[in-house]
Amino acid sequence: AVVLMLIPLGGIIWIKKNAIGGSIGASLVGQVSAAEIYPMFSCPCCGQPLDKNKICCDQAQERIDFIDSSVKPGVSDNDVVSAYIKKYGLNSFIDKNKAKEIKEELVKNAPAERPIISISPSSLDLGDVSQKKGVVFAYFDLKNEGKKDLVINSMDTSCGCTSAAIIFDGQEGPRFAMPGHGIENPTGWRVVIPPGGIAQLKVYYDPTVHKDLIGAVIREILVYSNDPIDFEKKVQIELTQVN
């Protein structure tokens, strides 16, 4: 049997399927306009609400285009928002309380037999990084602690100076970074990590990208997978950039 639960979240009614393989949202009668959805989410570049009249970067344009293409006759606001956060993650919400509420519901309704992504530590301090010495890199431990295959198919970073790759079975995959900032992110790529499987997340930092930057730096790396709860796993690096 499938149990549907109505969950009000700031004007949006989310319908949860209390069953394995259930979706984040289900269609409701009616349709929302794209303009109503844009400001729910932030631009990854500047952190401001998406605005079709004030597009500051390629990533903002991509997200606006995604919303535009998702809004169709017969498609509800739930469907559009669900598809958006599946692609760009809960952290893209402007309202962090809304993201937290949805995350709690995902935890409650997640199947026991599922992939579980684990990355440790959650943050690494690289210390002083000299522009003169060029690119540095660091490793995070990545593991599938679940009972089904973990599929990672994309990554993102908060700046073009930072890129990341997955190392599994002794092979390093392609590097991902903030789109439109020097590295062309691959499409159609994925890595499958079986239950109990261990990999590494290798993060590169290039201090020469921002030649005038001196001082503290924090950069985020986002790993997207089929984990039904942490489908957008975030870690970060910290450092002090010096000459």
Side-chain angles (χ1 to χ4, degrees):
V2 174
V3 179
L4 297 182
M5 299 179 293
L6 297 180
I7 304 165
L9 290 177
I12 295 180
I13 303 297
W14 289 86
I15 297 181
K16 300 292 181 181
K17 289 185 178 180
N18 190 15
I20 292 177
S23 61
I24 293 178
S27 295
L28 297 177
V29 176
Q31 183 182 348
V32 71
S33 72
E36 293 176 293
I37 295 179
Y38 299 149
M40 294 175 62
F41 299 105
S42 62
C43 168
C45 174
C46 64
Q48 296 300 308
L50 293 177
D51 186 339
K52 197 166 188 174
N53 297 317
K54 298 178 181 179
I55 298 175
C56 63
C57 66
D58 291 342
Q59 290 192 88
Q61 182 68 66
E62 177 191 329
R63 284 155 172 75
I64 286 172
D65 290 344
F66 181 85
I67 293 171
D68 287 344
S69 66
S70 299
V71 173
K72 301 174 182 178
V75 176
S76 73
D77 54 357
N78 283 3
D79 294 322
V80 177
V81 172
S82 176
Y84 189 97
I85 62 176
K86 273 292 187 180
K87 184 173 179 64
Y88 298 111
L90 290 171
N91 288 316
S92 57
F93 269 117
I94 289 288
D95 186 345
K96 299 308 178 186
N97 289 328
K98 190 172 295 183
K100 181 180 179 181
E101 289 175 19
I102 295 176
K103 180 69 173 286
E104 290 172 351
E105 289 302 320
L106 289 173
V107 171
K108 289 179 184 178
N109 294 285
E113 300 284 329
R114 66 180 189 274
I116 300 175
I117 187 171
S118 170
I119 306 179
S120 61
S122 59
S123 180
L124 273 177
D125 189 341
L126 307 186
D128 289 346
V129 175
S130 170
Q131 293 187 28
K132 295 177 182 178
K133 294 183 179 180
V135 177
V136 297
F137 53 84
Y139 296 95
F140 293 78
D141 294 324
L142 191 157
K143 185 176 181 181
N144 179 8
E145 297 183 344
K147 297 182 179 180
K148 287 194 173 182
D149 285 350
L150 175 68
V151 181
I152 298 172
N153 60 7
S154 183
M155 291 185 284
D156 197 0
T157 68
S158 61
C159 185
C161 62
T162 305
S163 59
I166 300 292
I167 300 175
F168 182 61
D169 276 349
Q171 294 189 340
E172 181 172 339
R175 285 164 65 177
F176 289 78
M178 176 182 275
H181 289 74
I183 292 181
E184 189 68 27
N185 286 343
T187 57
W189 171 88
R190 71 175 195 165
V191 61
V192 180
I193 303 173
I198 298 174
Q200 288 181 309
L201 172 65
K202 185 175 182 179
V203 177
Y204 297 82
Y205 177 77
D206 185 353
T208 65
V209 171
H210 301 292
K211 297 184 182 297
D212 296 329
L213 175 60
I214 299 294
V217 175
I218 297 177
R219 296 290 183 260
E220 295 179 344
I221 302 92
L222 303 172
V223 181
Y224 298 98
S225 74
N226 65 334
D227 182 325
I229 297 174
D230 284 326
F231 47 84
E232 176 199 48
K233 190 72 172 179
K234 180 172 70 174
V235 296
Q236 70 178 32
I237 56 171
E238 302 177 19
L239 59 100
T240 301
Q241 184 156 315
V242 298
N243 289 324

